[in-house]
Amino acid sequence: MIDPAVSSRRDTPWIGDDPRFTELRASYRRFVFPVTAAFLLWFLAYVLCSAYARGFMATKVAGNVNVALVFGLLQFVSTFGIALAYGRFAARRLDPLAAALRDVTANRPAAAAGRGTREATEVQA
């Protein structure tokens, strides 16, 4: 079997060389890396406070609700908030670039779409 990645790069431009693909990856990384780091720091703070700041976490906020319970619930809130923010970000920035790249790859000839010349000939016949 012919490896499509190897055979197509010799004859045609690779999708990774397209500036729109580079922009798509860069936009994705600009959102995902900082948000992931912020969430992990927030979670680490929650765990460390639970382990080492027991007095603070036991502080009553209202009735039997303490700081630990509020922080724990805020973990869920921040998770859903990040998911919603990513959905909006992807719809605005990533999806249009991905659609343009999808159109480009769909309109390439068979040999450019990753098939070797022999396989492309067999498909056309």
Side-chain angles (χ1 to χ4, degrees), residues 5-54:
V6 173
S7 63
S8 66
R9 287 205 61 170
R10 286 189 209 122
D11 302 328
T12 61
W14 184 54
I15 192 76
D17 296 333
D18 193 310
R20 290 170 292 200
F21 182 74
T22 305
E23 176 59 27
L24 177 68
R25 288 182 57 172
S27 294
Y28 174 78
R29 287 178 178 166
R30 277 192 302 269
F31 180 87
V32 170
F33 289 161
V35 170
T36 301
F39 180 79
L40 288 175
L41 287 173
W42 160 235
F43 181 73
L44 181 64
Y46 170 66
V47 170
L48 291 175
C49 284
S50 295
Y52 298 108
R54 291 177 184 236

Side-chain angles (χ1 to χ4, degrees), residues 95-114:
D95 291 349
L97 288 170
L101 288 169
R102 200 175 309 115
D103 290 342
V104 166
T105 58
N107 294 328
R108 289 194 319 184

Side-chain angles (χ1 to χ4, degrees), residues 80-98:
F80 289 116
I82 290 168
L84 289 172
Y86 178 75
R88 291 183 60 195
F89 173 79
R92 276 185 296 135
R93 301 250 175 95
L94 302 180
D95 291 349
L97 288 170

